[in-house]
Every structure is written in C-alpha cells, then in structure tokens.
mmCIF file of all heavy atoms in Angstrom:
data_model
loop_
_atom_site.group_PDB
_atom_site.id
_atom_site.type_symbol
_atom_site.label_atom_id
_atom_site.label_comp_id
_atom_site.label_asym_id
_atom_site.label_seq_id
_atom_site.Cartn_x
_atom_site.Cartn_y
_atom_site.Cartn_z
ATOM 1 N N ARG A 94 46.366 84.490 -26.300
ATOM 2 C CA ARG A 94 46.044 83.145 -26.780
ATOM 3 C C ARG A 94 45.760 82.200 -25.615
ATOM 4 O O ARG A 94 44.840 81.375 -25.675
ATOM 5 C CB ARG A 94 47.195 82.595 -27.616
ATOM 6 C CG ARG A 94 47.314 83.209 -28.998
ATOM 7 C CD ARG A 94 48.375 82.481 -29.807
ATOM 8 N NE ARG A 94 48.491 83.010 -31.154
ATOM 9 C CZ ARG A 94 49.304 82.489 -32.075
ATOM 10 N NH1 ARG A 94 50.058 81.435 -31.787
ATOM 11 N NH2 ARG A 94 49.360 83.018 -33.290
ATOM 12 N N GLY A 95 46.565 82.320 -24.574
ATOM 13 C CA GLY A 95 46.376 81.456 -23.409
ATOM 14 C C GLY A 95 45.040 81.693 -22.727
ATOM 15 O O GLY A 95 44.319 80.741 -22.394
ATOM 16 N N ILE A 96 44.699 82.966 -22.537
ATOM 17 C CA ILE A 96 43.423 83.284 -21.888
ATOM 18 C C ILE A 96 42.260 82.884 -22.778
ATOM 19 O O ILE A 96 41.251 82.353 -22.313
ATOM 20 C CB ILE A 96 43.353 84.789 -21.555
ATOM 21 C CG1 ILE A 96 44.426 85.152 -20.518
ATOM 22 C CG2 ILE A 96 41.975 85.159 -21.034
ATOM 23 C CD1 ILE A 96 44.507 86.630 -20.216
ATOM 24 N N SER A 97 42.407 83.147 -24.091
ATOM 25 C CA SER A 97 41.346 82.785 -25.031
ATOM 26 C C SER A 97 41.089 81.278 -25.017
ATOM 27 O O SER A 97 39.932 80.823 -24.999
ATOM 28 C CB SER A 97 41.720 83.240 -26.446
ATOM 29 O OG SER A 97 40.712 82.906 -27.368
ATOM 30 N N ALA A 98 42.161 80.493 -25.009
ATOM 31 C CA ALA A 98 42.018 79.034 -24.973
ATOM 32 C C ALA A 98 41.383 78.585 -23.658
ATOM 33 O O ALA A 98 40.528 77.688 -23.635
ATOM 34 C CB ALA A 98 43.375 78.375 -25.163
ATOM 35 N N LEU A 99 41.813 79.213 -22.560
ATOM 36 C CA LEU A 99 41.281 78.864 -21.244
ATOM 37 C C LEU A 99 39.784 79.136 -21.166
ATOM 38 O O LEU A 99 39.000 78.262 -20.764
ATOM 39 C CB LEU A 99 42.015 79.672 -20.168
ATOM 40 C CG LEU A 99 41.475 79.566 -18.741
ATOM 41 C CD1 LEU A 99 41.774 78.192 -18.166
ATOM 42 C CD2 LEU A 99 42.090 80.658 -17.864
ATOM 43 N N LEU A 100 39.386 80.347 -21.559
ATOM 44 C CA LEU A 100 37.980 80.709 -21.464
ATOM 45 C C LEU A 100 37.147 79.984 -22.513
ATOM 46 O O LEU A 100 36.020 79.562 -22.248
ATOM 47 C CB LEU A 100 37.818 82.230 -21.616
ATOM 48 C CG LEU A 100 38.484 83.093 -20.545
ATOM 49 C CD1 LEU A 100 38.259 84.570 -20.844
ATOM 50 C CD2 LEU A 100 37.971 82.753 -19.151
ATOM 51 N N GLY A 101 37.702 79.848 -23.729
ATOM 52 C CA GLY A 101 36.970 79.200 -24.804
ATOM 53 C C GLY A 101 36.685 77.737 -24.552
ATOM 54 O O GLY A 101 35.782 77.152 -25.161
ATOM 55 N N ALA A 102 37.451 77.137 -23.652
ATOM 56 C CA ALA A 102 37.231 75.719 -23.328
ATOM 57 C C ALA A 102 36.008 75.524 -22.435
ATOM 58 O O ALA A 102 35.538 74.396 -22.258
ATOM 59 C CB ALA A 102 38.471 75.151 -22.631
ATOM 60 N N GLU A 103 35.502 76.626 -21.865
ATOM 61 C CA GLU A 103 34.321 76.552 -21.004
ATOM 62 C C GLU A 103 33.060 76.633 -21.867
ATOM 63 O O GLU A 103 32.960 77.495 -22.736
ATOM 64 C CB GLU A 103 34.330 77.702 -19.976
ATOM 65 C CG GLU A 103 35.555 77.718 -19.082
ATOM 66 C CD GLU A 103 35.654 76.478 -18.208
ATOM 67 O OE1 GLU A 103 34.589 76.008 -17.731
ATOM 68 O OE2 GLU A 103 36.770 75.975 -18.012
ATOM 69 N N VAL A 104 32.111 75.747 -21.616
ATOM 70 C CA VAL A 104 30.926 75.684 -22.464
ATOM 71 C C VAL A 104 30.004 76.891 -22.307
ATOM 72 O O VAL A 104 29.165 77.150 -23.179
ATOM 73 C CB VAL A 104 30.125 74.394 -22.186
ATOM 74 C CG1 VAL A 104 30.913 73.180 -22.613
ATOM 75 C CG2 VAL A 104 29.726 74.302 -20.709
ATOM 76 N N ASP A 105 30.163 77.640 -21.220
ATOM 77 C CA ASP A 105 29.286 78.787 -20.996
ATOM 78 C C ASP A 105 29.961 80.119 -21.316
ATOM 79 O O ASP A 105 29.418 81.179 -21.016
ATOM 80 C CB ASP A 105 28.795 78.807 -19.549
ATOM 81 C CG ASP A 105 29.927 78.951 -18.553
ATOM 82 O OD1 ASP A 105 31.013 78.379 -18.802
ATOM 83 O OD2 ASP A 105 29.757 79.639 -17.535
ATOM 84 N N ILE A 106 31.158 80.079 -21.917
ATOM 85 C CA ILE A 106 31.892 81.303 -22.224
ATOM 86 C C ILE A 106 32.302 81.299 -23.687
ATOM 87 O O ILE A 106 32.781 80.289 -24.213
ATOM 88 C CB ILE A 106 33.139 81.446 -21.330
ATOM 89 C CG1 ILE A 106 32.737 81.560 -19.857
ATOM 90 C CG2 ILE A 106 33.961 82.670 -21.741
ATOM 91 C CD1 ILE A 106 33.912 81.600 -18.893
ATOM 92 N N GLU A 107 32.135 82.444 -24.346
ATOM 93 C CA GLU A 107 32.542 82.605 -25.739
ATOM 94 C C GLU A 107 33.399 83.861 -25.863
ATOM 95 O O GLU A 107 32.986 84.939 -25.427
ATOM 96 C CB GLU A 107 31.315 82.742 -26.647
ATOM 97 C CG GLU A 107 31.662 82.996 -28.106
ATOM 98 C CD GLU A 107 30.447 83.310 -28.960
ATOM 99 O OE1 GLU A 107 29.336 83.433 -28.392
ATOM 100 O OE2 GLU A 107 30.612 83.458 -30.178
ATOM 101 N N VAL A 108 34.596 83.727 -26.424
ATOM 102 C CA VAL A 108 35.460 84.884 -26.677
ATOM 103 C C VAL A 108 35.037 85.484 -28.010
ATOM 104 O O VAL A 108 35.185 84.858 -29.063
ATOM 105 C CB VAL A 108 36.945 84.477 -26.702
ATOM 106 C CG1 VAL A 108 37.819 85.687 -27.039
ATOM 107 C CG2 VAL A 108 37.361 83.882 -25.356
ATOM 108 N N VAL A 109 34.508 86.704 -27.970
ATOM 109 C CA VAL A 109 33.935 87.318 -29.178
ATOM 110 C C VAL A 109 34.877 88.309 -29.857
ATOM 111 O O VAL A 109 34.575 88.804 -30.942
ATOM 112 C CB VAL A 109 32.603 88.020 -28.847
ATOM 113 C CG1 VAL A 109 31.577 87.007 -28.368
ATOM 114 C CG2 VAL A 109 32.803 89.120 -27.808
ATOM 115 N N GLY A 110 36.022 88.603 -29.240
ATOM 116 C CA GLY A 110 36.951 89.540 -29.859
ATOM 117 C C GLY A 110 38.196 89.724 -29.038
ATOM 118 O O GLY A 110 38.227 89.401 -27.847
ATOM 119 N N GLU A 111 39.237 90.226 -29.698
ATOM 120 C CA GLU A 111 40.518 90.468 -29.039
ATOM 121 C C GLU A 111 41.137 91.747 -29.589
ATOM 122 O O GLU A 111 40.814 92.190 -30.693
ATOM 123 C CB GLU A 111 41.487 89.302 -29.282
ATOM 124 C CG GLU A 111 41.032 87.959 -28.777
ATOM 125 C CD GLU A 111 42.041 86.861 -29.066
ATOM 126 O OE1 GLU A 111 43.206 87.192 -29.395
ATOM 127 O OE2 GLU A 111 41.683 85.672 -28.984
ATOM 128 N N ALA A 112 42.048 92.324 -28.817
ATOM 129 C CA ALA A 112 42.804 93.492 -29.259
ATOM 130 C C ALA A 112 44.117 93.534 -28.500
ATOM 131 O O ALA A 112 44.240 92.973 -27.410
ATOM 132 C CB ALA A 112 42.009 94.778 -29.027
ATOM 133 N N SER A 113 45.099 94.210 -29.097
ATOM 134 C CA SER A 113 46.411 94.341 -28.457
ATOM 135 C C SER A 113 46.710 95.772 -28.030
ATOM 136 O O SER A 113 47.699 96.012 -27.350
ATOM 137 C CB SER A 113 47.508 93.849 -29.401
ATOM 138 O OG SER A 113 47.521 94.616 -30.598
ATOM 139 N N THR A 114 45.859 96.728 -28.448
ATOM 140 C CA THR A 114 46.076 98.132 -28.080
ATOM 141 C C THR A 114 44.760 98.744 -27.621
ATOM 142 O O THR A 114 43.676 98.247 -27.941
ATOM 143 C CB THR A 114 46.606 98.951 -29.269
ATOM 144 O OG1 THR A 114 45.577 99.032 -30.284
ATOM 145 C CG2 THR A 114 47.862 98.328 -29.861
ATOM 146 N N ALA A 115 44.879 99.859 -26.894
ATOM 147 C CA ALA A 115 43.684 100.562 -26.427
ATOM 148 C C ALA A 115 42.876 101.081 -27.608
ATOM 149 O O ALA A 115 41.640 101.011 -27.613
ATOM 150 C CB ALA A 115 44.096 101.708 -25.512
ATOM 151 N N ALA A 116 43.561 101.598 -28.633
ATOM 152 C CA ALA A 116 42.872 102.148 -29.801
ATOM 153 C C ALA A 116 42.044 101.088 -30.511
ATOM 154 O O ALA A 116 40.905 101.335 -30.920
ATOM 155 C CB ALA A 116 43.888 102.756 -30.759
ATOM 156 N N GLN A 117 42.609 99.894 -30.659
ATOM 157 C CA GLN A 117 41.873 98.800 -31.285
ATOM 158 C C GLN A 117 40.676 98.391 -30.418
ATOM 159 O O GLN A 117 39.576 98.139 -30.929
ATOM 160 C CB GLN A 117 42.772 97.577 -31.454
ATOM 161 C CG GLN A 117 43.859 97.691 -32.496
ATOM 162 C CD GLN A 117 44.751 96.453 -32.502
ATOM 163 O OE1 GLN A 117 44.691 95.617 -31.600
ATOM 164 N NE2 GLN A 117 45.587 96.341 -33.516
ATOM 165 N N ALA A 118 40.907 98.318 -29.138
ATOM 166 C CA ALA A 118 39.911 97.754 -28.225
ATOM 167 C C ALA A 118 38.615 98.548 -28.194
ATOM 168 O O ALA A 118 37.529 97.956 -28.238
ATOM 169 C CB ALA A 118 40.491 97.658 -26.822
ATOM 170 N N ILE A 119 38.707 99.856 -28.145
ATOM 171 C CA ILE A 119 37.497 100.661 -27.968
ATOM 172 C C ILE A 119 36.506 100.422 -29.107
ATOM 173 O O ILE A 119 35.320 100.162 -28.883
ATOM 174 C CB ILE A 119 37.865 102.149 -27.840
ATOM 175 C CG1 ILE A 119 38.588 102.384 -26.496
ATOM 176 C CG2 ILE A 119 36.609 103.018 -27.913
ATOM 177 C CD1 ILE A 119 39.114 103.777 -26.313
ATOM 178 N N GLY A 120 36.986 100.478 -30.353
ATOM 179 C CA GLY A 120 36.100 100.250 -31.488
ATOM 180 C C GLY A 120 35.574 98.830 -31.548
ATOM 181 O O GLY A 120 34.389 98.601 -31.826
ATOM 182 N N ARG A 121 36.439 97.872 -31.270
ATOM 183 C CA ARG A 121 36.021 96.467 -31.353
ATOM 184 C C ARG A 121 35.051 96.093 -30.243
ATOM 185 O O ARG A 121 34.141 95.291 -30.444
ATOM 186 C CB ARG A 121 37.257 95.567 -31.319
ATOM 187 C CG ARG A 121 38.127 95.708 -32.556
ATOM 188 C CD ARG A 121 39.380 94.841 -32.497
ATOM 189 N NE ARG A 121 40.237 95.089 -33.653
ATOM 190 C CZ ARG A 121 41.419 94.498 -33.846
ATOM 191 N NH1 ARG A 121 41.880 93.614 -32.953
ATOM 192 N NH2 ARG A 121 42.138 94.778 -34.911
ATOM 193 N N ILE A 122 35.251 96.643 -29.062
ATOM 194 C CA ILE A 122 34.330 96.347 -27.956
ATOM 195 C C ILE A 122 32.955 96.946 -28.257
ATOM 196 O O ILE A 122 31.921 96.313 -28.020
ATOM 197 C CB ILE A 122 34.880 96.882 -26.619
ATOM 198 C CG1 ILE A 122 36.103 96.065 -26.196
ATOM 199 C CG2 ILE A 122 33.809 96.823 -25.525
ATOM 200 C CD1 ILE A 122 36.819 96.599 -24.974
ATOM 201 N N ARG A 123 32.928 98.143 -28.805
ATOM 202 C CA ARG A 123 31.641 98.749 -29.158
ATOM 203 C C ARG A 123 30.935 97.933 -30.237
ATOM 204 O O ARG A 123 29.701 97.842 -30.259
ATOM 205 C CB ARG A 123 31.861 100.183 -29.639
ATOM 206 C CG ARG A 123 32.244 101.143 -28.525
ATOM 207 C CD ARG A 123 32.562 102.519 -29.060
ATOM 208 N NE ARG A 123 32.908 103.456 -27.996
ATOM 209 C CZ ARG A 123 33.396 104.665 -28.197
ATOM 210 N NH1 ARG A 123 33.596 105.097 -29.441
ATOM 211 N NH2 ARG A 123 33.680 105.447 -27.190
#
C-alpha cells in the first residue's frame, strides 16, 4: 500500500496490479 501510494502520486506512473505471492504475480504480470 505504501509503495502503491508513493508511485501512484506521480503523474507519470500508474500502478496496474499487485500480488502478495509468486504464484499470483506470474499470471497477473502476464
């Protein structure tokens, strides 16, 4: 949440997804 808020506050950066495990991340990143 902290990183998402930090990056999302920048006008040139958009957080498009998040995950808490490796298994979740691979599918969501693809």
Side-chain angles (χ1 to χ4, degrees):
R94 286 187 178 184
I96 295 175
S97 180
L99 173 71
L100 297 179
E103 302 297 322
V104 293
D105 62 324
I106 297 176
E107 177 188 5
V108 177
V109 297
E111 300 180 15
S113 60
T114 67
Q117 289 176 348
I119 291 174
R121 293 178 185 178
I122 291 174
R123 288 175 179 171

